[in-house]
């Protein structure tokens, strides 16, 4: 009982029973900096009452193993405890051989020196008998259990103790738990660990428990809820639980102040209503591919091997290699690589060159290789690369996909007005755009996109279709199509496959987009093709008038490019598909002409005869030319047998030394001409408009006789 008086007047009274007995007394003055002096006190009256007589025996309050040969016991008060024969340790240890530092007047704790060593990870029982306090009260018998955990005190090394299972989004939030797994051959004291989330406010485990080699430790949010859901499973409930966010969070395990593992999970990894399980305890903590949703009927596997336990024994695999600059490429792998294995001498092009530098990107799943000169080789070989689990890729090779140049990847077919009648008992067609690789190189479609005609503000709609790893072989086809429900096997189960069952789509690169339509206007539109960096590769401004004039209804019929090397924006190079199905996605066009070129300094018109009757055979004729020098302009006109001009195919078109034009047998008014012999007059004009080279070739227009 404390009372403070100032000049005899009581100013303060308080009660504080923190210390009930003491041999010393003093004052602690807390003051401001301005009032640091001038304190004085007098007239202290310190008094107390006599303690009641002690008639209660002492209590055994703690038993703790200090090391394999010593156990400390503590009592509620000072006792006469220096008698080894009055103690017994279970499991065959027996009475201690001696007791350290015994004092004559007694103490409240003693250290027992054991006759036999304790075994780590074992729970023992200490029994004390006939222990008297200093007043002579005797504790006849008491027992306490203690766990001995032998550790060297050092934190777990990297990957020795890992987060193995996370129940972050259970049906009941109280069921949240985190499971640890000890991958090492050492035993750790669980009480030295703590759990934190992304806020890094550790919640200590506190409970002393052995985390033995190959053992699990389950840290739970709510003891009652966990015990009911997973009866018989050992766990430790934390008093301060870091709530795990369903939208993504971090699970951080600390050993005292050292972070031993961290998992930054995301909902895309799995774990909705079931736990998120680590597949390979030795695999990377922050790789989505190493985590999956539990498939156990209980929704989780606390304290046991995960249901998705899948040890990674597979070396990393090459997934894709593409040119990103003239002298650099990106190489993609199916899992992160161990940085120590990523060296310049691990890679070589087929011309023998190794890169000058290698940069690790995307947490080790992508590498950037830079060479001294432009990439000339078409195949890359990789050797001796390791994943984070130590699996080694001895050697693998992959073809390099090049960035398309303008004119190499072209628009080859457009179905802008598909059949879509729910009542015609025919599968609805999807809108599609077919691309064709007319180069001799493997071309990358990764990141490719299409734009349409810009509006009055100059803004064009963008449609991205380039998948992550899509490459197109020389003379290969890629089909971009609308499919609201993309199938896992687009060559078999997609909307495109159902609409064109007679076409084998297995060899085409199919790029379904989860859309009802591609936005292709029936009144005409622009299809401009871009590679990932935005460079325009090809552009087709199609119009309904490009269809064959004899086709009354173009619904369900695609526009097909006649000649791959012909002009993309020339109406004469496009016409209606004559395929029975109305289109030819993923295969050569029904009206297409094979690429060919005449000898230098000549003109070839073929086929001749040709029959523009839309039967799919020789419906057009190609006018192919090759000049002895560069031309500025070319003019192509067609005359009948009487010398009358019937068609001005090209009046003054800027052209190169070689090229081709297509004639579909129509005159300038779009009317079908009669059968007979016609003459093609080709003239190359110089910059002043004079003809410096001219050719004439006959061609026969024929029709089927009914």
């Amino acid at each position: 009982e404390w009372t403070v008086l100032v000049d005899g007047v009581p100013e303060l009274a308080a009660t504080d029973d923190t210390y009930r007995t003491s041999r010393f007394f003093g004052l602690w003055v807390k003051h401001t900096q301005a009032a640091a002096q001038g304190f004085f006190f007098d007239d202290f009256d310190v008094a107390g009452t006599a303690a009641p007589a002690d008639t209660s025996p002492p209590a055994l309050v703690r038993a703790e193993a200090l090391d394999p040969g010593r156990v400390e016991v503590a009592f509620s008060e000072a006792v006469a405890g220096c008698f080894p024969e009055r103690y017994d340790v279970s499991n065959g240890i027996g009475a201690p051989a001696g007791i350290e530092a015994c004092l004559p007047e007694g103490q409240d704790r003693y250290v027992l020196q054991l006759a036999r060593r304790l075994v780590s990870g074992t729970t023992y029982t200490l029994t004390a008998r006939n222990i008297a306090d200093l007043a002579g009260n005797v504790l006849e018998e008491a027992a306490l259990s203690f766990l001995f955990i032998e550790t060297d005190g050092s934190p777990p090394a990297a990957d020795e103790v890992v987060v193995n299972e996370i129940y972050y989004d259970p049906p009941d939030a109280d069921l949240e738990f985190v499971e640890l797994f000890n991958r090492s051959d050492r035993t750790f004291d669980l009480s030295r660990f703590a759990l934190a989330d992304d806020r890094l406010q550790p919640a200590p485990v506190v409970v002393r428990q052995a985390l033995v080699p190959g053992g699990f430790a389950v840290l739970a949010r709510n003891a009652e809820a966990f015990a009911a859901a997973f009866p018989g499973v050992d766990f430790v409930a934390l008093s301060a639980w870091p709530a795990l966010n369903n939208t993504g969070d971090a699970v951080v395990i600390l050993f005292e102040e050292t972070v031993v593992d961290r998992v930054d999970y995301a909902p895309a990894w799995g774990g909705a209503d079931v736990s998120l399980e680590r597949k390979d305890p030795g695999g990377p903590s922050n790789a989505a591919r190493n985590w999956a949703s539990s498939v156990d009927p209980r929704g989780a596997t606390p304290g046991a091997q995960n249901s998705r336990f899948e040890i990674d024994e597979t070396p990393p695999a090459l997934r894709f290699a593409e040119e990103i600059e003239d002298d650099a490429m990106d190489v993609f792998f199916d899992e992160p690589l161990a940085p120590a294995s990523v060296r310049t001498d691990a890679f070589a092009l087929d011309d023998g060159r190794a890169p000058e530098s290698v940069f690790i990107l995307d947490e080790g799943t992508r590498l950037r290789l830079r060479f001294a000169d432009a990439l000339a080789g078409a195949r890359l070989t990789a050797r001796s690369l390791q994943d984070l689990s130590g699996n080694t890729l001895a050697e693998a090779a992959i073809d390099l996909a090049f960035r398309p140049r303008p004119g190499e990847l072209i628009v080859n077919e457009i179905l802008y007005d598909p059949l879509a009648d729910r009542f015609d008992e025919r599968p609805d067609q999807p809108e599609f755009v077919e691309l064709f690789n007319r180069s001799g190189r493997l071309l990358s479609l990764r990141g490719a996109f299409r734009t349409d005609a810009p509006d009055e503000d100059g803004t064009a709609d963008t449609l991205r279709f380039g998948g992550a790893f899509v490459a197109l072989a020389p003379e290969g086809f890629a089909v971009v199509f609308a499919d609201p429900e993309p199938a896992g096997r687009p060559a078999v189960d997609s909307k495109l496959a159902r609409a064109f069952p007679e076409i084998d789509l297995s060899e085409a690169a199919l790029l379904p987009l989860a859309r009802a339509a591609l936005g292709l206007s029936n009144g005409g539109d622009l299809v401009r093709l871009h590679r990932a960096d935005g460079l325009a590769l090809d552009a087709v401004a199609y119009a309904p008038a490009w269809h064959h004039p004899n086709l009354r209804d173009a619904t369900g019929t695609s526009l097909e490019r006649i000649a791959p090397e012909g002009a993309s924006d020339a109406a004469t190079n496009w016409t209606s598909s004559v395929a029975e199905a109305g289109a030819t996605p993923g295969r050569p066009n029904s009206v297409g002409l094979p690429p060919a070129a005449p000898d230098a300094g000549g003109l070839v018109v073929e086929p001749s005869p040709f029959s523009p009757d839309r039967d799919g055979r020789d419906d057009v004729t190609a006018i192919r030319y090759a000049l002895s020098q560069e031309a500025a302009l070319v003019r192509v006109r067609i005359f009948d047998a009487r010398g009358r001009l019937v068609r001005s195919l090209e009046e003054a078109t800027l052209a190169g030394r070689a090229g081709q034009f297509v004639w579909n047998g129509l005159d300038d008014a779009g009317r079908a001409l009669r059968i007979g012999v016609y003459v093609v007059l080709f003239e190359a004009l110089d910059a002043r408009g004079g003809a410096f080279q001219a050719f004439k070739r006959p061609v026969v227009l024929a029709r089927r006789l009914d």
Side-chain angles (χ1 to χ4, degrees):
E1 302 295 335
W2 300 82
T3 304
V4 177
L5 298 88
V6 178
D7 295 333
V9 179
E11 294 286 346
L12 174 66
T15 300
D16 184 354
D17 62 354
T18 303
Y19 302 100
R20 304 184 66 87
T21 62
S22 178
R23 297 179 182 178
F24 305 97
F25 175 81
L27 293 173
W28 176 22
V29 178
K30 300 183 70 174
H31 54 77
T32 64
Q33 185 175 4
Q37 298 178 352
F39 297 99
F40 66 92
F41 304 87
D42 60 8
D43 297 337
F44 290 109
D45 181 8
V46 182
T49 58
D54 183 4
T55 59
S56 299
L60 180 63
V61 296
R62 191 179 76 253
E64 180 178 357
L66 302 180
D67 56 49
R70 298 187 304 158
V71 172
E72 182 182 71
V73 295
F75 297 89
S76 60
E77 57 182 307
V79 297
C82 255
F83 302 97
E85 68 276 7
R86 297 183 183 180
Y87 301 95
D88 181 75
V89 180
S90 66
N91 295 5
I93 302 298
I99 299 178
E100 293 181 1
C102 284
L103 299 177
E105 66 268 26
Q107 53 192 2
D108 63 357
R109 62 189 63 193
Y110 295 89
V111 176
L112 311 182
Q113 297 174 325
L114 304 180
R116 297 177 180 84
R117 294 175 62 86
L118 302 174
V119 177
S120 181
T122 303
T123 299
Y124 296 89
T125 299
L126 170 75
T127 303
R129 299 180 179 90
N130 301 320
I131 304 295
D133 63 15
L134 301 186
N137 302 299
V138 178
L139 171 66
E140 293 183 358
E141 184 172 313
L144 283 178
S145 295
F146 65 91
L147 171 68
F148 171 58
I149 305 172
E150 185 174 24
T151 70
D152 58 12
S154 61
D159 300 329
E160 283 194 331
V161 176
V162 298
V163 177
N164 197 55
E165 187 173 3
I166 306 170
Y167 208 7
Y168 72 88
D169 186 16
D172 179 356
D174 282 339
L175 289 177
E176 286 186 0
F177 73 77
V178 171
E179 179 190 77
L180 310 185
F181 177 64
N182 183 1
R183 299 183 58 244
S184 75
D185 57 2
R186 298 195 293 156
T187 298
F188 299 98
D189 184 352
L190 195 62
S191 67
R192 303 180 69 180
F193 287 82
L195 173 68
D197 62 4
D198 194 39
R199 297 172 299 170
L200 294 180
Q201 298 177 356
V205 176
V206 178
V207 176
R208 187 171 173 82
Q209 180 175 307
L211 183 55
V212 298
F216 301 94
V218 180
L219 310 180
R221 177 174 187 167
N222 182 285
E224 183 178 351
F226 184 91
F230 304 101
V233 177
D234 291 335
F235 68 95
V236 175
L238 302 190
S239 58
W241 180 261
L244 304 176
N245 296 326
N246 295 351
T247 56
D249 206 339
V251 174
V252 185
I253 299 300
L254 301 95
F255 184 87
E256 296 178 344
E257 296 182 355
T258 301
V259 174
V260 297
D261 196 22
R262 175 176 176 137
V263 178
D264 294 280
Y265 68 85
W269 293 17
D273 293 327
V274 296
S275 72
L276 187 62
E277 294 183 341
R278 191 181 192 124
K279 296 180 181 178
D280 184 357
S285 294
N286 276 316
R289 63 183 301 275
N290 198 33
W291 294 85
S293 296
S294 174
V295 295
D296 190 274
R298 299 173 298 169
T301 56
Q305 180 175 292
N306 290 340
S307 64
R308 297 298 302 272
F309 181 73
E310 302 166 16
I311 294 294
D312 181 9
E313 298 178 343
T314 304
L318 278 167
R319 297 189 65 186
F320 199 68
E322 68 168 344
E323 174 197 36
I324 59 164
E325 298 177 22
D326 291 343
D327 62 349
M329 69 171 70
D330 277 359
V331 184
F332 298 82
F333 294 83
D334 66 340
E335 61 178 313
L337 299 179
S341 70
V342 179
R343 307 180 309 274
T344 55
D345 60 0
F347 303 92
L349 288 172
D350 50 4
D351 59 7
R353 289 186 298 153
E356 286 194 328
S357 61
V358 181
F359 299 94
I360 299 176
L361 306 173
D362 297 345
E363 299 181 347
T365 60
R366 176 165 64 105
L367 304 180
R368 178 156 296 173
L369 279 56
R370 192 168 294 279
F371 292 77
D373 303 303
L375 301 174
R379 193 166 178 80
L380 177 74
T381 300
R383 300 180 179 88
S384 303
L385 294 171
Q386 290 186 336
D387 62 17
L388 298 180
S389 300
N391 302 304
T392 301
L393 173 66
E395 181 172 314
I398 192 171
D399 291 330
L400 175 62
F402 288 87
R403 295 175 300 169
R405 301 189 188 107
E408 289 188 329
L409 186 66
I410 61 172
V411 178
N412 196 56
E413 186 175 3
I414 304 170
L415 180 58
Y416 63 83
D417 186 13
L419 290 172
D421 186 344
R422 292 183 300 172
F423 305 104
D424 63 359
E425 298 183 355
R426 298 172 56 184
D428 289 348
Q429 298 172 334
E431 286 186 356
F432 74 77
V433 173
E434 181 191 74
L435 311 179
F436 178 67
N437 180 1
R438 60 183 297 262
S439 76
R441 311 185 303 165
L442 184 69
L443 299 181
S444 172
L445 300 186
R446 198 175 75 90
F449 62 96
R450 170 245 170 172
T451 58
D452 61 7
D455 58 20
E456 60 273 12
D457 297 325
T459 302
D461 291 334
T462 299
L463 181 65
R464 298 189 178 276
F465 59 83
F469 306 119
V470 180
L472 196 58
E475 298 188 0
F477 298 94
V479 185
V480 182
F481 62 97
D483 194 338
E485 299 178 358
R489 299 182 303 164
V492 178
D493 302 329
S494 66
K495 187 175 182 179
L496 184 74
R498 293 192 297 271
F500 300 97
E502 71 285 352
I503 296 179
D504 181 6
L505 298 171
S506 60
E507 295 184 3
L510 302 181
L511 304 173
L513 300 181
R515 302 166 58 99
L518 299 183
L520 302 173
S521 173
N522 291 356
D525 205 345
L526 174 67
V527 178
R528 181 183 285 117
L529 180 63
H530 303 260
R531 71 185 189 192
D533 61 3
L535 180 67
L537 303 174
D538 195 23
V540 177
Y542 69 87
W546 289 14
H547 276 291
H548 195 282
N550 293 338
L551 184 65
R552 295 184 178 181
D553 184 3
T555 302
T557 301
S558 69
L559 281 173
E560 292 185 344
R561 190 179 189 127
I562 297 172
E565 63 271 28
S568 297
D569 57 352
T572 56
N573 198 33
W574 292 82
T575 190
S576 307
S577 173
V578 297
E580 183 177 353
T584 56
R587 72 178 188 186
N589 290 344
S590 62
V591 298
L593 292 175
D599 295 335
L603 182 72
V604 172
V605 181
E606 60 179 8
S608 180
F610 75 105
S611 54
D613 52 10
R614 302 195 69 246
D615 64 353
R617 298 191 304 273
D618 300 335
D619 285 317
V620 296
T621 189
I623 302 167
R624 299 186 177 95
Y625 69 91
L627 304 176
S628 58
Q629 64 186 71
E630 292 293 336
L633 300 171
V634 297
R635 181 168 59 194
V636 182
R637 292 177 291 174
I638 299 172
F639 299 84
D640 64 13
R642 296 183 180 182
R644 294 174 297 190
L645 178 65
V646 295
R647 181 73 182 270
S648 294
L649 202 60
E650 297 291 341
E651 282 295 342
T653 299
L654 185 65
R657 179 172 292 181
Q660 80 168 17
F661 301 95
V662 176
W663 182 38
N664 57 6
L666 303 180
D667 64 12
D668 284 331
R671 296 172 300 217
L673 291 169
R674 296 181 178 181
I675 62 174
V677 178
Y678 293 83
V679 176
V680 177
L681 175 61
F682 176 93
E683 298 171 290
L685 311 177
D686 59 25
R688 295 183 300 274
F692 68 83
Q693 205 166 357
F695 303 99
K696 289 183 181 180
R697 293 290 185 272
V699 61
V700 176
L701 190 157
R703 298 193 191 283
R704 183 176 56 190
L705 298 177
D706 294 330

